[in-house]
Amino acid sequence: MASLTGASLNFTSLSSSFNRTQAPLRGISNVNSVSFQSIRMRPGSLRFRVSCAAKPETVNKVCEIVRKQLALPEDSSVTGESKFAALGADSLDTVEIVMGLEEEFGISVEEESAQSITTVQDAADMIEKLIKSRDA
Amino acid sequence: MKIQINGAFPYGLQMQNLRETHLWYILPDEVKRVALLKQYSELLSPCERENVNRMGGDQLKKRALLARALVRTTIARYQTNCEMNPRSLKFRKNIYGKPEVEWQTEDNFIPPPLHFNISHTSSMIACGVTVNVPIGIDVEEKQRRIKNNVIAFARRYFSPYEVELLTAISDPEIQRQEFIKLWTLKEAYVKALGKGFSAVPFKTFTIRFRPKALRSLPGSPVSEASEIIIDSSDDPSILTNNWQFALLEVAGGHYASICTEKDKSIGGEGTMPMKLTVRKTIPFVEDVCVSGTDAVVALGGIIEQ
């Protein structure tokens, strides 16, 4: 996609990856089809994590489940910082992800909490909290 | 930047008098021109542009861009005085997180009581607009695959009545489709309420179809196949009849649910049809009214197109 900055739009050359994901035009004429080189996302700023944050293994497991649910390509970046919405998840996806997490970790998530998870880290932290109280 | 639409502009006054619901949608696959996408990006606030850039991948960025462009250009159409520049609209979230327009209060400017709600899937972005009453919409692809077992999903999140209904469907494909329809109806309701999902969890209410005899005259635009009603699960005798629904199949492959609050001021106890107009748009390029065509099939609710 052309990168959108405050001042101007930068265009870069054709890329096959963008072509592959395009669905065929539906009977629309006189539209010029252009492809864009995919822009790698700027890495998010590093944040200090307090020690009560989830273990990396938990985060990785969540990433794996998210990838599967959203059918993300292997090379797409999914980290603790990743927001579900930014990965293309809608509310139905989020609920499905939570169900997958419940199954994987043997926990039960309240519906209200399920809808309020917005990042991978949120999910991982919540999982560990639930595991702790389950095993207490 | 003016919005020049083929004919009817502005919509504001007409809508207010006629109590209509308008649904606008974009099919992202129809928007490819670089210059057009650039025009859309110029409508966005810096904050919105940043959000678009944060989306992972080209398709998601485009979808986010089109969603904001659709909201801005759609609302800009409903001005009763002069032309409204879609770029100058400001948005905020209510205390529960529901997006709304932040009207700039100037002298003699009375903000229109305009309500809107958006929803998108990868192949459709939709924006519903009403006057005076809250609105919630949800669109889903008809072919959307559910990763979990549908009944397990329903048991977890839907009401007992709804689970029973779905369980009784033997064809797994039909079952999946009915599940998705129900999901969009429930989503639309929660979004119309605008109080966030924790205020009214899906399990606490039931949406169902109440068949009605076809009373309409031949050729009448009112479809009354079945009314969609909502009960509170906690007490099934309480009918939450402040809300009305429309369930549609739009542009072939999409289910769209619309939920609006009934306008009490028009009086009467019976359910007035939802006066719905559906338009397909490519902002700045063309608008097509698709109500009454194959592009819009009424699946439930009392709708007049």
Side-chain angles (χ1 to χ4, degrees):
Chain A
M1 174 94 173
S3 93
L4 305 169
T5 63
S8 63
L9 212 58
N10 294 319
F11 295 77
T12 47
S13 53
L14 298 170
S15 151
S16 58
S17 65
F18 190 74
N19 272 331
R20 228 185 296 123
T21 56
Q22 278 180 353
L25 285 171
R26 290 201 211 124
I28 301 296
S29 57
N30 81 347
V31 176
N32 298 316
S33 169
V34 189
S35 308
F36 304 87
Q37 185 172 57
S38 42
I39 307 292
R40 235 176 299 126
M41 281 177 67
R42 274 180 294 124
S45 54
L46 290 171
R47 279 159 43 189
F48 257 121
R49 294 243 170 257
V50 189
S51 59
C52 59
K55 299 192 285 284
E57 306 96 75
T58 310
V59 174
N60 288 338
K61 200 73 202 159
V62 175
C63 288
E64 199 183 297
I65 288 170
V66 168
R67 271 187 194 286
K68 223 171 63 169
Q69 172 65 33
L70 302 180
L72 298 175
E74 275 307 311
D75 58 347
S76 65
S77 163
V78 184
T79 67
E81 304 265 331
S82 300
K83 288 188 127 193
F84 288 175
L87 296 170
D90 61 11
S91 53
L92 187 46
D93 287 312
T94 304
V95 171
E96 290 230 78
I97 287 168
V98 169
M99 281 185 79
L101 297 176
E102 287 182 323
E103 212 180 287
E104 175 70 31
F105 292 97
I107 50 173
S108 184
V109 181
E110 277 163 50
E111 188 184 335
E112 299 82 74
S113 317
Q115 295 275 13
S116 64
I117 295 169
T118 53
T119 64
V120 170
Q121 191 69 48
D122 285 347
D125 293 343
M126 181 198 64
I127 289 164
E128 296 214 339
K129 207 167 76 178
L130 287 168
I131 291 177
K132 221 173 261 163
S133 53
R134 178 197 69 192
D135 297 343
Chain B
M1 190 176 300
K2 292 184 260 185
I3 299 286
Q4 295 296 336
I5 314 301
N6 324 325
F9 171 85
Y11 290 99
L13 278 172
Q14 299 167 330
M15 265 187 95
Q16 202 143 352
N17 294 333
L18 300 176
R19 303 294 195 268
E20 297 181 355
T21 301
H22 290 181
L23 185 71
W24 299 81
Y25 69 89
I26 294 179
L27 301 176
D29 293 340
E30 291 183 355
V31 183
K32 289 188 199 306
R33 260 195 306 135
V34 169
L36 195 52
L37 291 171
K38 180 177 178 185
Q39 255 191 302
Y40 294 159
S41 78
E42 283 166 6
L43 300 176
L44 271 50
S45 68
C47 184
E48 286 171 339
R49 256 181 293 224
E50 239 187 80
N51 287 337
V52 167
N53 274 330
R54 279 199 211 108
M55 299 299 284
D58 299 341
Q59 290 296 344
L60 292 179
K61 285 187 171 73
K62 181 179 170 185
R63 203 202 302 186
L65 170 61
L66 291 178
R68 293 318 302 164
L70 178 62
V71 173
R72 284 180 172 273
T73 53
T74 301
I75 291 171
R77 300 168 191 269
Y78 294 89
Q79 301 317 307
T80 54
N81 39 11
C82 51
E83 288 111 11
M84 161 75 65
N85 187 338
R87 194 187 314 173
S88 59
L89 287 167
K90 289 205 187 327
F91 294 89
R92 64 170 175 224
K93 295 195 172 156
N94 73 5
I95 53 171
Y96 305 103
K98 182 174 183 181
E100 55 187 31
V101 182
E102 187 177 316
W103 297 105
Q104 306 304 293
T105 41
E106 292 160 9
D107 305 318
N108 303 321
F109 176 64
I110 304 159
L114 217 57
H115 295 255
F116 75 93
N117 195 236
I118 59 168
S119 174
H120 45 71
T121 73
S122 55
S123 51
M124 175 183 285
I125 300 163
C127 180
V129 184
T130 46
V131 175
N132 286 328
V133 294
I135 178 172
I137 72 168
D138 192 53
V139 297
E140 282 295 346
E141 271 151 42
K142 206 173 151 184
Q143 292 309 312
R144 191 203 175 111
R145 295 292 128 193
I146 306 297
K147 303 282 191 303
N148 293 279
N149 171 269
V150 167
I151 297 302
F153 196 129
R155 279 214 182 91
R156 189 79 181 67
Y157 289 103
F158 285 7
S159 74
Y161 177 95
E162 292 163 341
V163 174
E164 240 189 82
L165 197 97
L166 288 170
T167 309
I169 303 172
S170 49
D171 183 327
E173 184 54 20
I174 309 266
Q175 191 189 69
R176 189 193 56 80
Q177 286 178 2
E178 293 305 311
F179 171 88
I180 294 179
K181 287 180 192 170
L182 205 43
W183 175 275
T184 62
L185 285 165
K186 291 171 87 81
E187 272 281 291
Y189 172 62
V190 172
K191 291 174 79 180
L193 277 175
K195 293 203 176 102
F197 292 97
S198 35
V200 53
F202 274 21
K203 250 201 209 295
T204 63
F205 63 93
T206 295
I207 293 189
R208 55 194 175 90
F209 293 76
R210 180 162 65 189
K212 285 178 92 74
L214 282 165
R215 286 184 280 111
S216 46
L217 298 169
S220 155
V222 182
S223 57
E224 287 196 30
S226 58
E227 191 178 1
I228 298 173
I229 55 178
I230 179 169
D231 306 329
S232 159
S233 296
D234 297 331
D235 186 344
S237 66
I238 299 175
L239 267 181
T240 337
N241 62 354
N242 295 334
W243 302 91
Q244 65 182 135
F245 295 85
L247 176 66
L248 316 164
E249 186 171 331
V250 182
H254 309 88
Y255 291 133
S257 282
I258 305 171
C259 176
T260 62
E261 195 172 43
K262 288 183 191 172
D263 194 333
K264 295 281 164 41
S265 61
I266 36 181
E269 277 305 312
T271 301
M272 299 290 289
M274 181 187 292
K275 291 189 175 183
L276 179 67
T277 310
V278 184
R279 292 183 184 85
K280 181 168 82 77
T281 176
I282 302 175
F284 304 140
V285 176
E286 65 166 22
D287 305 325
V288 182
C289 176
V290 295
S291 285
T293 72
D294 289 347
V296 183
V297 179
L299 301 177
I302 303 176
I303 309 167
E304 182 183 322
Q305 287 198 68

